[in-house]
Amino acid sequence: MKSMLWVGLALCLLVNGNPAFADKDLLMKHNCFACHGIDKRKYGPKLVEVAGKYANTADAVPMLAKKIQTGGSGVWGEDIMPPQPQVSDADAKALAEFILSLK
Ligand code: HEC
């Protein structure tokens, strides 16, 4: 029984020790998790896969920030990401930077 406590504590430290954790709030705020998982494919691509795809792309941050706001399809298949004009320029940039840091 006691060992379960240690496992729980270790998991807490692991999650809280991740510097990227705070930015998940922004993904929650804008409902991105409805279609995306960090490392699970839902309706949209896994966010770690997106990070991997653009790891060596110059200007990936402004490109993805724009795509987050205007939506689109055809890069990951036929599924469409709807336009999300409610996401501010600053939030879109922060989201793009966070996603690209995930690999
Ligand atoms: C209704 C479902 C849906 C929601 C909500 C959604 N997405 Fe997407 N997203 C998609 C789909 C589908 C794609 C694949 C589009 C494509 O193939 O071009 C995608 C692709 C992306 C990509 C990769 C773009 C590319 O060109 O490679 C990023 C980055 C992304 N989404 C971020 C976000 C963020 C951040 C949010 C929240 C503000 C969000 N998405 C909300 C469905 C969604």
Side-chain angles (χ1 to χ4, degrees):
M1 253 342 251
K2 231 181 187 171
S3 62
M4 288 299 284
L5 273 176
W6 284 113
V7 171
L9 189 68
L11 276 176
C12 282
L13 286 173
L14 217 84
V15 171
N16 289 324
N18 182 349
F21 191 62
D23 286 277
K24 279 192 188 164
D25 291 349
L26 215 48
L27 287 160
M28 304 248 240
K29 174 178 152 193
H30 293 298
N31 238 349
C32 314
F33 286 135
C35 297
H36 294 283
I38 298 281
D39 54 9
K40 219 188 293 163
R41 204 195 137 81
K42 293 190 181 176
Y43 177 69
K46 307 180 206 187
L47 296 179
V48 287
E49 228 178 307
V50 174
K53 180 174 171 72
Y54 299 109
N56 297 312
T57 305
D59 294 332
V61 170
M63 190 271 283
L64 289 182
K66 183 158 181 274
K67 171 112 176 195
I68 290 165
Q69 288 178 314
T70 57
S73 76
V75 178
W76 297 88
E78 297 304 303
D79 295 329
I80 296 167
M81 176 154 72
Q84 304 173 106
Q86 78 280 8
V87 180
S88 70
D89 290 353
D91 277 8
K93 184 166 176 277
L95 284 163
E97 279 170 352
F98 172 65
I99 291 166
L100 289 165
S101 77
L102 287 173
K103 12 166 205 29

